[in-house]
Amino acid sequence: MEPLVHVTGRGVPLDRPNVDTDQIIPAAWLKKTTRTGYADGLFEQWRQDPDFVLNRPERAGATVLVSGPNFGCGSSREHAPWALHEWGFRAVIAPGFADIFRNNMPNAGLVPVLCEPAVVAAVMAAVTADAAAEIRIDVAGLTVTCEAAGVRAAPFRLDDEARDRLVSGLTQLEMTLRSADRIAAYEAVRAPWLDVTA
Amino acid sequence: MTPKTLVDKIWDLHVVEPGASDLLYIDLHLLHEVSSPQAFAGLREAGRTVRRPSHSVATTDHDVPTDGRELPADASAAQQLRVLADNCRDNDIELHQVGSPGQGIVHVIGPQMGLTRPGTTIVCGDSHTATHGAFGAIAFGIGTSEIEHVLATQTLRARRPLSMAVTVTGELGPGVTAKDLALGILAAGGTDAGTGTVIEFRGPAVRALSMEGRMTLCNMAVEMGARSGLVAPDETTFAYLEGRPRAPRGDLWDEAVAAWRTLRSDADAVFDRELVVDAGAVVQRVTWGTNPGQSVPVDGVVPDPAGIAHPGERAAAERALAYMDLRPGTAMRDIGVDVVFIGSCTNSRIEDLRAAAEVLRGRRVADGVRGLVVPGSMLVRQLAEQEGLDRVFTAAGFEWRMPGCSMCVGINGDTVGPGQRCASTSNRNFEGRQGPGARTHLVSPATAAATAVAGRFVTPADL
């Protein structure tokens, strides 16, 4: 995985609550067996509207999506963060994320930037008004800055394990394989009634 | 000792290595064709193997045709099914594919086999894994990278969830089902009330539910924003499990039941969040919008977004009404449907089919309405046929299909057409979920059946 220490770029405002993973990548795209090839499916239904924000030429090349509460609700499909990543996004700023989606994001090279609603509202207003407004996300320091919004080093919440993984570029699996002895030790003492194969 | 919630007790039994995210042992890993191919490919590319093949069980459900064909017409879906079969063969993983008697929706076959057990940890690359929480298990959906992690290590890195108690007092009224209760809780709490938590459903109305009802309720916990939902195991749970093909037997059964009886939240355990719902106030419900929190009683009317104070929610409701082509104030009873779908991991079990068949016995679907019944598994289908339910459905004009996810997710070609309106017993009414431009209204199986007969939203009592 490519380490993500900083994300600096322009924002795309998607000011809606409950953006679900069926919108992010419709189910018809889930028949592939690869981790790539999903960018064309990103928000496929909404992009049929020529005025949809992702169709605006001034939003091309933006790397930070800004959205509403409960972002990524619904299906556990990792294809959703894969599609966002492949489109060019590296972070999503929102006042709330659905649990499974939030877990999937770092595994797909995306930073979940869970901020106070007032911070998200300020950044949303700034990037809506100015497509060139810059957002800087310090992943190691867990802060977000958007001068145009008057937001300077506002903190965001991310657990240490996910942060360390994003910054190091190590996958979760690579980290866990170091604990193989602990897993074997657990298996040796696990209660028999927990063994569904018994 | 500090009093503990049931979730904490089960969690603590499975911590291999504590940390910012605990390393958690996984007792049962369920697999299907859609979310697993990239995980197996990742293992292969890194030269890794499956640590405990016996702890994984696979089925085919999302892509499979329900019209009796063995392979989908769509080449990429057919390829995905072949890839799962190859991966299971190469890694010595049990697979129940189309044509085998154990095939069915992943969240239907685990319980019916007796693999889904109290106190265990269960994961699957599917958000509705929460269903298995009905047995007092911690069961949740994971992404493909996590599937690879579980295959390689039989563990997962996960933050300890917060706890939420949803206590349902009193008893459900006649004809009011677990599905109506789930929609009622969603309407009261919203779609993110449970974010970061595992919800423990408790109280007399939950105790009174059958295992099928508890599965429906826990299935919808993910729509409440929760990672999962569970119900503490009791005699209902043990009676359901006893004698199932993979349930423990003999001394092991006694030992298991003794352990299962300890699985309850301590009386003075403190929950991070609490919600109390009066079962007596729950009525039959139907969704009007594009998220499962947007529902009203079947007796009700389409709400007016102007009455919503929060600007973001108001705009969302306006967008939902535009997508659904509905006007505020319209009685739900005056809204006609084109399709009725009875199925999905929410409502495709034998009790669901019995409830729908009871309404349909001696009746016919309204002119112009297409009705589908898609049983949750081959076993459910076989049971239903033994009881003659298939003949009730076909006599009423419903299609009697083969098991699979079908029209809930619309990957396999079973879709609702653009602009068509569907009364569906599934779990999500998102835009385009059942097909591009499809308009989904979530209901219980009994309401779906009654709606098919009337051609518009009604309850069985209205017929």
Side-chain angles (χ1 to χ4, degrees):
Chain A
M1 293 260 293
E2 148 205 13
L4 270 178
V5 182
H6 289 96
V7 176
T8 301
R10 289 173 289 113
V12 172
L14 184 63
D15 194 4
R16 304 180 182 195
N18 299 310
V19 172
D20 62 73
T21 53
D22 276 86
Q23 304 317 314
I24 299 172
I25 186 87
W29 288 82
L30 307 190
K31 286 179 279 199
K32 301 164 80 73
T33 55
T34 56
R35 273 180 171 259
T36 54
Y38 300 99
D40 286 346
L42 183 71
F43 294 113
E44 186 181 39
Q45 290 303 314
W46 290 350
R47 280 201 291 123
Q48 288 180 12
D49 171 3
D51 289 333
F52 182 63
V53 66
L54 280 188
N55 290 331
R56 308 291 307 167
E58 68 274 20
R59 301 293 173 179
T63 55
V64 181
L65 186 67
V66 188
S67 194
N70 203 26
F71 187 86
C73 61
S75 152
S76 60
R77 60 189 74 164
E78 196 167 317
H79 313 66
W82 291 340
L84 286 162
H85 186 272
E86 204 173 317
W87 182 273
F89 290 111
R90 292 296 176 269
V92 179
I93 300 178
F97 291 91
D99 287 343
I100 302 174
F101 184 82
R102 188 172 172 222
N103 277 332
N104 285 340
M105 287 179 75
N107 294 331
L110 281 175
V111 187
V113 182
L114 178 66
C115 284
E116 288 304 315
V119 171
V120 181
V123 175
M124 183 76 78
V127 301
T128 303
D130 179 6
E134 189 184 76
I135 299 170
R136 293 198 306 277
I137 297 159
D138 175 354
V139 183
L142 299 181
T143 63
V144 58
T145 296
C146 178
E147 297 287 350
V151 169
R152 290 179 194 87
F156 69 89
R157 293 198 296 281
L158 185 65
D159 69 75
D160 292 348
E161 194 264 339
R163 181 195 59 186
D164 294 350
R165 217 149 26 88
L166 283 165
V167 170
S168 70
L170 277 176
T171 67
Q172 226 166 15
L173 180 50
E174 286 161 341
M175 292 172 94
T176 298
L177 286 169
R178 299 169 179 170
S179 299
D181 291 350
R182 297 288 293 265
I183 300 170
Y186 176 90
E187 285 174 330
V189 300
R190 187 165 68 128
W193 64 272
L194 290 173
D195 185 355
V196 299
T197 65
Chain B
M1 283 225 304
T2 318
K4 282 168 51 168
T5 63
L6 173 56
V7 170
D8 277 340
K9 288 182 186 181
I10 300 173
W11 192 271
D12 288 342
L13 278 172
H14 291 86
V15 175
V16 172
E17 186 177 58
S21 281
D22 293 333
L23 189 62
L24 197 72
Y25 201 77
I26 301 303
D27 297 313
L28 178 62
H29 183 200
L30 299 167
L31 291 154
H32 63 79
E33 70 275 26
V34 166
S35 55
S36 64
Q38 299 86 349
F40 282 107
L43 284 188
R44 229 175 3 253
E45 284 156 20
R48 295 183 178 124
T49 54
V50 178
R51 183 181 176 90
R52 292 278 172 253
S54 64
H55 289 37
S56 287
V57 175
T59 186
T60 57
D61 54 8
H62 284 63
D63 284 347
V64 301
T66 60
D67 58 6
R69 282 175 302 167
E70 195 154 331
L71 277 179
D74 182 294
S76 44
Q79 170 66 7
Q80 207 168 46
L81 292 168
R82 276 193 294 272
V83 167
L84 180 68
D86 291 349
N87 284 331
C88 288
R89 186 199 58 216
D90 295 348
N91 293 284
D92 204 17
I93 290 172
E94 175 180 337
L95 169 66
H96 301 272
Q97 57 189 328
V98 170
S100 84
Q103 184 262 340
I105 302 175
V106 65
H107 309 311
V108 176
I109 69 161
Q112 82 183 19
M113 291 169 82
L115 281 171
T116 299
R117 298 193 203 159
T120 58
T121 48
I122 302 173
V123 296
C124 173
D126 190 284
S127 60
H128 290 110
T129 307
T131 312
H132 305 264
F135 292 78
I138 294 182
F140 54 91
I142 57 176
T144 298
S145 298
E146 292 177 313
I147 294 173
E148 185 177 342
H149 191 282
V150 175
L151 288 170
T153 68
Q154 204 53 42
T155 66
L156 200 61
R157 294 221 171 248
R159 289 182 301 275
R160 180 182 291 266
L162 299 173
S163 60
M164 178 166 182
V166 173
T167 305
V168 191
T169 59
E171 61 182 298
L172 292 171
V176 181
T177 68
K179 180 63 162 288
D180 300 303
L181 175 59
L183 292 174
I185 295 169
L186 271 157
T191 50
D192 56 3
T195 303
T197 76
V198 171
I199 296 175
E200 182 179 343
F201 295 102
R202 50 211 320 245
V206 174
R207 286 276 145 248
L209 290 175
S210 65
M211 289 314 297
E212 278 87 348
R214 293 178 191 184
M215 283 189 256
T216 299
L217 185 58
C218 289
N219 173 280
M220 300 285 285
V222 69
E223 316 309 333
M224 302 168 198
R227 195 111 205 249
S228 193
L230 55 53
V231 177
D234 58 13
E235 296 305 324
T236 305
T237 321
F238 311 150
Y240 179 97
L241 282 171
E242 190 165 17
R244 299 254 162 203
R246 300 294 178 82
R249 295 182 188 282
D251 291 346
L252 206 51
W253 170 261
D254 296 335
E255 189 193 329
V257 172
W260 295 346
R261 286 190 197 284
T262 68
L263 297 173
R264 51 191 60 249
S265 291
D266 293 327
D268 38 2
V270 178
F271 290 84
D272 298 300
R273 285 176 223 162
E274 295 209 52
L275 180 70
V276 177
V277 176
D278 171 14
V282 177
V283 296
Q284 288 112 326
R285 298 188 74 89
V286 51
T287 61
W288 53 266
T290 53
N291 77 56
Q294 294 172 321
S295 73
V296 291
V298 176
D299 281 339
V301 300
V302 176
D304 189 345
I308 300 174
H310 188 278
E313 294 292 334
R314 183 166 62 241
E318 283 164 355
R319 252 197 325 276
L321 288 187
Y323 180 84
M324 296 297 288
D325 190 29
L326 293 173
R327 262 151 293 283
T330 307
M332 295 311 293
R333 280 202 166 83
D334 292 338
I335 298 170
V337 300
D338 305 293
V339 181
V340 174
F341 169 62
I342 298 173
S344 87
C345 60
T346 312
N347 281 128
S348 65
R349 297 179 182 79
I350 189 67
E351 269 190 17
D352 300 313
L353 303 195
R354 285 179 191 141
E358 187 170 313
V359 174
L360 292 171
R361 207 176 291 275
R363 295 190 167 113
R364 288 281 306 170
V365 300
D367 286 346
V369 173
R370 180 188 179 198
L372 288 89
V373 184
V374 183
S377 68
M378 286 303 287
L379 183 66
V380 170
R381 186 178 150 93
Q382 184 192 340
L383 268 174
E385 289 181 351
Q386 280 165 9
E387 296 178 20
L389 305 185
D390 58 320
R391 292 189 296 279
V392 176
F393 287 121
T394 52
F398 267 82
E399 300 168 32
W400 177 243
R401 312 281 288 205
M402 300 301 283
C405 300
S406 183
M407 207 177 258
C408 171
V409 64
I411 305 185
N412 76 331
D414 296 345
T415 54
V416 177
Q420 283 199 321
R421 201 174 289 287
C422 179
S424 178
T425 66
S426 55
N427 38 59
R428 290 186 178 135
N429 50 345
F430 297 157
E431 287 180 31
R433 170 86 179 177
Q434 295 190 292
R439 297 177 177 133
T440 303
H441 295 263
L442 304 177
V443 290
S444 74
T447 299
T451 297
V453 172
R456 56 193 176 81
F457 292 103
V458 298
T459 66
D462 296 323
L463 293 177

